[in-house]
Amino acid sequence: MTDPRRTPATEFRAGTEGAGVEMAYAGHNTFLKGDPQDVDDLAADVGVLGAPYDGALSNRPGARYGPEALRRASGWWAYLSNYKGGLTNVNTGAQVDFSDLSVADCGDVPVFPMDRERTAASIEAHVATVAERAFPVLLGGDHYCTYPAVRGFAEGAGHDTVGLVQIDAHSDTVTESPVFGRHYHGSSTRLVAESPWCDYDHVSQVGIRGYEGPDFAEFVAESGIDCYTMRDVHERGIADVITDAVEAAAADADAVYVTFDIDAVDPGVAPGTGTPEPDGLSAHQALRTMEVLGTHDAVGAADLMEVSPTHDPTDVTGILGAFLLVTLLERQFAEG
């Protein structure tokens, strides 16, 4: 009797060298080609969620398409790790084995485009579920999504105090906007700092530039926030700045949540975002940021926000965003 499990397809795959290698542009778009897993049955080092929501933006829309762009771009590094096995990171000289890193993609959280509160509750619940089992990675979405994600991380991981390292062009500390109210992507850091799990003493910001409110300097001096502007980065160097930033956020905290708004990067490098600001981080500085953060034991969760691929026909913004997350995860889990 013919074995029903031995189909022509299985015979081909068994007898053809390379048949198990999936090209970067083939197959399902999961982050790093990770196994699709239900969030309730997660078993992996890293659990990835998408938040395709941009209902809290104040400028150009399109970040709802960010999770798909990041997943698609991440396929290149999944292909390399599959095809070549162990790798050498040429930038750092480190030996990397991505087989030491298990990634599960839990899909997108339910979003409600006309209901910010329900969307926030959805993000919080799903990140909390991942945080009980794995290192959560959230693919945004606009930067408001970070606020419920930090809440979910603290609840799911059982942390009393969470530090925040925010890589961003903007401080997102607006108290209230006459147009957007108290809850939008310009207020997410203020909301995190006012939550039961954080305060401004545990918030570090890197890359701030452009314009803030007239009392911003006074706010920085009085609030206890660690704010490093792009001028600080230029004058001191990104490695020293980010080292100080994560140490300040981690002090007396149970864990650190890293949020990277892609508009921290110069729009000449990463144009696909909703609120671009000139004179941002270079690609090198952005990657160095993730290299440093990835080595810090306190870092327990991360997100990548505000990738808006409709504003970048070259796709380089999504490619850089995916590489930033891959770099952080490599340092956390796969570097020898």
Side-chain angles (χ1 to χ4, degrees):
M1 180 181 292
T2 303
D3 186 344
R5 294 169 297 180
R6 301 296 291 182
T7 67
T10 59
E11 292 284 358
F12 176 84
R13 290 176 180 272
T16 305
E17 185 179 1
V21 175
E22 187 170 88
M23 303 305 293
Y25 45 80
H28 300 289
N29 282 333
T30 61
F31 193 80
L32 272 178
K33 299 290 186 180
D35 292 334
Q37 292 187 23
D38 187 273
V39 68
D40 293 316
D41 299 316
L42 175 62
D45 297 320
V46 177
V48 179
L49 291 165
Y53 176 77
D54 59 8
L57 283 172
S58 62
N59 200 12
R60 305 189 301 183
R64 68 187 69 178
Y65 304 115
E68 176 62 16
L70 292 166
R71 287 183 172 111
R72 185 173 62 248
S74 74
W76 173 249
W77 291 278
Y79 160 75
L80 286 179
S81 61
N82 187 336
Y83 177 61
K84 295 185 178 181
L87 299 167
T88 299
N89 185 324
V90 178
N91 283 335
T92 65
Q95 294 299 302
V96 180
D97 187 351
F98 280 103
S99 65
D100 291 338
L101 165 63
S102 60
V103 176
D105 194 314
C106 300
D108 292 337
V109 306
V111 298
F112 306 88
M114 305 303 291
D115 192 333
R116 173 190 48 76
E117 291 184 4
R118 273 205 296 172
T119 297
S122 175
I123 293 169
E124 181 176 338
H126 285 77
V127 171
T129 303
V130 170
E132 291 176 0
R133 301 162 169 82
F135 183 103
V137 171
L138 185 66
L139 313 176
D142 71 49
H143 215 172
Y144 179 75
C145 300
T146 293
Y147 166 55
V150 172
R151 292 178 61 95
F153 171 57
E155 292 169 358
H159 296 315
D160 294 322
T161 305
V162 173
L164 181 73
V165 174
Q166 175 188 354
I167 318 302
D168 204 332
H170 314 97
S171 76
D172 297 344
T173 55
V174 175
T175 301
E176 186 167 6
S177 163
V179 176
F180 300 105
R182 290 177 54 81
H183 287 254
Y184 76 114
H185 77 150
S187 66
S188 55
T189 301
R190 188 261 304 170
L191 292 166
V192 169
E194 292 178 354
S195 75
W197 298 277
C198 194
D199 54 40
Y200 281 122
D201 286 333
H202 289 93
V203 175
S204 293
Q205 301 178 322
V206 176
I208 307 300
R209 60 190 188 277
Y211 294 94
E212 295 281 342
D215 300 324
F216 184 68
E218 182 179 349
F219 160 76
V220 170
E222 294 180 353
S223 67
I225 195 171
D226 280 274
C227 181
Y228 302 90
T229 68
M230 273 307 302
R231 182 154 296 186
D232 294 323
V233 172
H234 291 318
E235 291 179 353
R236 294 186 52 199
I238 188 61
D240 286 348
V241 165
I242 201 67
T243 298
D244 287 352
V246 68
E247 288 292 340
D252 301 318
D254 299 313
V256 168
Y257 184 107
V258 171
T259 179
F260 198 117
D261 187 328
I262 201 67
D263 70 22
V265 180
D266 191 85
V269 176
T273 192
T275 312
E277 296 279 359
D279 191 33
L281 298 173
S282 67
H284 167 73
Q285 290 170 329
L287 290 166
R288 190 77 180 97
T289 293
M290 291 310 225
E291 288 175 7
V292 173
L293 291 173
T295 62
H296 202 288
D297 291 340
V299 173
D303 67 41
L304 199 294
M305 294 294 169
E306 301 273 358
V307 170
S308 188
T310 55
H311 300 296
D312 180 7
T314 69
D315 293 332
V316 297
T317 307
I319 292 169
L320 176 60
F323 195 18
L324 292 171
L325 288 174
V326 169
T327 299
L328 180 74
L329 296 178
E330 172 206 310
R331 278 295 183 98
Q332 281 269 319
F333 297 100
E335 184 173 299

